[in-house]
Each structure stands twice: as structure tokens, then as C-alpha cells.
Amino acid sequence: MLARFRHSPDTTRGLRFNGPVADIRRTRTMAAGPQAIWDVLSDFGAISSWARTVDHSCLLEHGAEPGLGMSRRIQVGRDTLVERVVEFSPPDTLGYDIEGLPRRLAATNRWTLVPIGGDRTEVTLTSTVRVGANPLATLVERAVCRLVARQSDAMLAGLAQRVESSHV
């Protein structure tokens, strides 16, 4: 699994800082084609069926077809979040904003699927975290980045388990 943290220009233990924004990128190769993976990701209200950290999920807003503007409510422990689709390009890109985080903290997740031959796909989850631009915010950002990296790893593992076991 490949982990990249993008900020700039200073690099500290794999983190690159660029003011109030941090990108955390996790990549995993899965033994399934992009369409099989897309089918799971685009079933937007069903994330709790494969993401072990999500206790409950349901669709809030959706049209006749899935796509931009679609939203879901997720329960993670005591926290309730709303995720709203801001990028939808079947079968390779799904992006959504995460709402309901503590004040001054904003986050976006973006899934990218790249076929790499045979029935294998490189799946990348990029999480963008936005905090403030002061010294305290930088400390908070580092802590949030570590948490988001663990969450991303867990989500990728759950997705791989789901698509690879149903693909056999």
C-alpha cells in the first residue's frame, strides 16, 4: 500500500505542508475490475456494508439516477456525518465533501479507479483536510492526518474484502 501526504514546500515525516490544506493519499491494488469496484462505491447509501468503521449509513438525497448532489448520512461511533457527492464520473472517479465535522475543519474524499491489466485495479483514496493557517491548526492538522490515514486504510481494506470475495 502506498501512502502519500501532500502539502508543500516543507516535508516532515512524510507530510508536506502548504498552509491550511493536507492531502492524504492511500493506494491499493485490488483483484477485481473497475466496474465491480465502481458498483460497490456508487451504491452510495450502502457504505456501512463494507466499511468497518461505519456503523450505519443511509441515503438522504438522490434522484432517479445516482450522481452529483447525492448525499448520505453515516454514523461513526457517536459522530453523525453527511457526505455529499461533488464529483461523479463512472466508472473511475467518485468525490464527496464530508459535512458535520468540528468547526474550522473541512474534508473531502476522492476515489479514483485505474485498471492495471487483467482483472486488477489500482484504487486510490485521496482525503483532503482543511484546517486553519495558524500554528495550532498545523498541530491539529497533523493529528487529523494520522486519523484520516488509518480510516483510509480501513476503508480500502473493507472495499478490497468486499469486491475480492464477491469476485471469486
Side-chain angles (χ1 to χ4, degrees):
M1 190 165 326
L2 176 67
R4 285 184 225 131
F5 297 89
R6 183 184 51 140
H7 285 328
S8 60
D10 301 330
T11 301
T12 306
R13 294 192 308 180
L15 296 174
R16 297 179 75 192
F17 295 97
N18 183 25
V21 177
D23 284 349
I24 301 94
R25 182 171 298 152
R26 294 291 212 231
T27 297
R28 181 173 178 146
T29 298
M30 298 187 189
Q35 190 61 52
I37 297 167
W38 179 259
D39 290 346
V40 173
L41 289 175
S42 66
D43 187 1
F44 202 60
I47 188 173
S48 60
S49 70
W50 56 268
R52 288 175 255 158
T53 58
V54 177
D55 300 315
H56 173 76
S57 60
C58 63
L59 280 178
L60 292 177
E61 297 174 33
H62 55 88
E65 295 292 321
L68 291 176
M70 188 169 49
S71 64
R72 67 181 169 208
R73 183 181 73 81
I74 66 167
Q75 188 78 34
V76 180
R78 297 180 317 185
D79 298 319
T80 300
L81 304 171
V82 172
E83 298 177 331
R84 189 171 317 280
V85 175
V86 294
E87 186 175 3
F88 192 85
S89 180
D92 55 31
T93 307
L94 173 67
Y96 50 88
D97 288 340
I98 303 169
E99 302 166 1
L101 297 167
R103 205 170 61 115
R104 296 187 183 175
L105 177 65
T108 300
N109 277 345
R110 184 175 192 265
W111 295 85
T112 307
L113 311 178
V114 177
I116 57 174
D119 230 4
R120 298 172 60 80
T121 305
E122 182 180 87
V123 180
T124 300
L125 174 55
T126 304
S127 299
T128 302
V129 178
R130 293 172 298 285
V131 187
N134 61 55
L136 178 59
T138 300
L139 292 174
V140 170
E141 187 176 84
R142 288 180 185 182
V144 170
C145 285
R146 284 191 293 274
L147 174 66
V148 168
R150 284 194 304 271
Q151 294 276 348
S152 296
D153 289 341
M155 289 176 63
L156 282 164
L159 179 61
Q161 182 178 4
R162 172 73 177 269
V163 299
E164 291 172 349
S165 65
S166 66
H167 182 59
V168 177

